[in-house]
Amino acid sequence: MSSRPLFELILGTDRRDPDVANAGQQPQGTYRRRRAPDDTKHHDSLSRAWGAHLTPHISANLGPYVSDIPSQLLFVEDQRDAATQVGSDPRYGKDNVRVYKVHRDEAAGTQSVTEMTVCCMLEGQIEESYTKADNSVVVATDSIKNTIYIKAKEHPVNPPELYASILGQHFLDTYPHISAANVSVVVHRWTRMVVDGKPHPHSFLRDGEETRNAEVRVTREGIEVTSGIAKLLVLKSTGSQFHGFVRDEFTTLPETWDRILSTDVDATWKWTTFPTLAALKEKVGAFDKAWEDARNICLKTFAEEDSPSVQATMYKMSEKILEAAPGVASVSLALPNKHYFEIDLSWHKGLKNTGKDAEVYAPQSGPNGLIKCTVSRS
């Protein structure tokens, strides 16, 4: 792509380094300068009329190369190369596709439901849709949305790792110019109601914002799968401590041997790459088991450990998940530390509400600590 010269009328004095100027070199940015006809009267009128307006622009854009005081008329031509190219991995697709599927067990007289939000992004030989406005390589995002629904009808949506892999593989099998499909599935929680001590056959409640997640990347080399839990909100009123940390002139936080600990568990675990969809289907039972094990491990470890720090607790969780799921290569955790501060009420009739007497706290929406780690097999 050839560059088109940009001309700008400015007032100023050429203050390039003499050595650079004598060598015929241009200052950084490559400006070519041509002196306007020597018309003192015209120059003076321009200086008076436009000097105040142009001087800040000159200073900001040409720095030491042009004086702050207008003294001569110059044309500036930007000769920089304007060639561009699309980045290494352009992708596009459909996001926020909401899907609900019901499974009816006629023999048992019960129904099960799954609600999920799906995102599907495609990669491949699609650069010309950006650079040449050539839509012949574009699978319309509306078609992607339709495919999400059709594959949900044709195949199981549980576990989400399997559904995402089937969906991604479809795009590679159907469109030769597509080299990768990135599918994200967020499963929203619907828990069967218990009525009069019995599970209800077709009624459910949402008992939290927790989600089960799957991130799948399907390429012609294999299938990468990352499973996860997000927004699992937990709290314990004791059994947590934090002391021995760095203390210096910036520190106001007191040490504590007993505190409230609350967090939103965000845990992901990355599986060893599956070479084919068939290989993934052979291990499909491992996905539900790993999710159940990971969830139980996080809850049990959180509840039972007298936590010395969030860092130590999350590392222990990660180790146990790796032990429980041999097909998992690494585990990542992100735990925000949601603070609950004691309230000093001694100003009101000497009311004691700190230390061992603390009962009323102020939950904090922010700021909060945020601790992350990834633990991999050695």
Side-chain angles (χ1 to χ4, degrees):
M1 182 183 299
S2 61
S3 62
R4 290 180 293 180
L6 301 176
F7 291 90
E8 186 176 9
L9 185 64
I10 65 171
L11 296 171
T13 301
D14 189 344
R15 281 195 172 181
R16 287 177 295 167
D17 184 283
D19 293 335
V20 175
N22 293 338
Q25 300 177 22
Q26 303 297 325
Q28 187 174 8
T30 315
Y31 293 95
R32 180 180 300 169
R33 299 154 180 264
R34 290 189 286 118
R35 188 179 301 278
D38 188 10
D39 185 338
T40 305
K41 182 177 180 180
H42 179 63
H43 172 215
D44 290 344
S45 64
L46 278 174
S47 298
R48 288 192 299 272
W50 295 96
H53 172 71
L54 290 176
T55 296
H57 177 78
I58 294 166
S59 300
N61 288 277
L62 295 181
Y65 300 112
V66 179
S67 170
D68 288 341
I69 303 174
S71 63
Q72 66 182 26
L73 189 63
L74 301 172
F75 283 93
V76 178
E77 179 183 353
D78 189 344
Q79 294 290 320
R80 287 171 290 186
D81 185 7
T84 59
Q85 63 181 8
V86 177
S88 59
D89 60 344
R91 62 180 67 182
Y92 76 99
K94 205 70 164 182
D95 195 8
N96 294 313
V97 182
R98 299 185 63 182
V99 182
Y100 168 93
K101 185 173 184 179
V102 59
H103 173 72
R104 300 178 180 90
D105 187 336
E106 301 295 345
T110 62
Q111 298 186 5
S112 300
V113 299
T114 301
E115 183 176 344
M116 55 190 183
T117 302
V118 181
C119 174
C120 182
M121 302 287 287
L122 304 182
E123 301 174 33
Q125 297 174 14
I126 57 175
E127 291 86 354
E128 291 190 353
S129 66
Y130 295 84
T131 60
K132 298 183 179 180
D134 180 1
N135 291 334
S136 66
V137 296
V138 176
V139 180
T141 65
D142 190 67
S143 302
I144 296 173
K145 176 205 67 180
N146 293 339
T147 305
I148 290 170
Y149 292 138
I150 291 168
K151 294 304 170 184
K153 174 65 177 179
E154 294 177 342
H155 300 277
V157 295
N158 291 304
E161 294 88 349
L162 174 61
Y163 169 72
S165 299
I166 292 172
L167 178 63
Q169 189 66 54
H170 161 83
F171 289 103
L172 269 66
D173 292 344
T174 306
Y175 307 104
H177 69 290
I178 297 299
S179 59
N182 304 279
V183 182
S184 167
V185 178
V186 176
V187 181
H188 304 283
R189 191 171 179 83
W190 284 118
T191 302
R192 191 177 299 277
M193 288 186 185
V194 176
V195 179
D196 295 331
K198 298 179 181 179
H200 197 274
H202 57 254
S203 295
F204 307 85
L205 64 90
R206 179 157 295 170
D207 55 353
E209 295 304 312
E210 175 193 352
T211 60
R212 176 177 176 177
N213 304 337
E215 298 275 350
V216 172
R217 177 175 172 82
V218 183
T219 68
R220 303 196 185 277
E221 288 71 45
I223 302 175
E224 300 173 9
V225 179
T226 301
S227 306
I229 301 167
K231 300 180 182 178
L232 176 57
L233 179 59
V234 293
L235 176 147
K236 61 180 179 180
S237 55
T238 189
S240 176
Q241 51 189 299
F242 188 55
H243 51 83
F245 50 88
V246 173
R247 303 200 68 84
D248 56 21
E249 67 271 26
F250 302 102
T251 307
T252 57
L253 182 70
E255 295 184 322
T256 180
W257 282 258
D258 186 17
R259 64 173 180 172
I260 296 169
L261 180 60
S262 179
T263 189
D264 277 314
V265 176
D266 186 340
T268 59
W269 47 99
K270 186 173 183 179
W271 298 83
T272 303
T273 301
F274 297 92
T276 63
L277 180 58
L280 183 144
K281 288 181 177 180
E282 291 178 0
K283 303 291 186 180
V284 70
F287 295 122
D288 280 345
K289 183 179 185 303
W291 177 80
E292 292 171 0
D293 287 343
R295 189 175 189 274
N296 290 334
I297 286 168
C298 288
L299 293 176
K300 181 178 175 65
T301 305
F302 178 86
E304 293 184 348
E305 184 186 38
D306 187 5
S307 174
S309 67
V310 176
Q311 288 88 335
T313 298
M314 70 196 312
Y315 182 76
K316 187 172 292 186
M317 291 175 178
S318 301
E319 280 193 315
K320 291 182 177 180
I321 293 172
L322 286 172
E323 291 174 5
V328 168
S330 64
V331 176
S332 297
L333 280 164
L335 302 181
N337 191 355
K338 296 177 174 290
H339 301 302
Y340 288 72
F341 290 160
E342 295 179 354
I343 304 172
D344 186 353
L345 299 176
S346 60
W347 55 271
H348 181 72
K349 301 178 182 180
L351 195 59
K352 295 181 179 180
N353 191 59
T354 59
K356 63 181 179 61
D357 298 310
E359 294 178 309
V360 178
Y361 296 79
Q364 305 297 302
S365 58
N368 60 269
L370 179 59
I371 299 91
K372 297 183 178 183
C373 78
T374 295
V375 180
S376 304
R377 297 187 187 277
S378 57

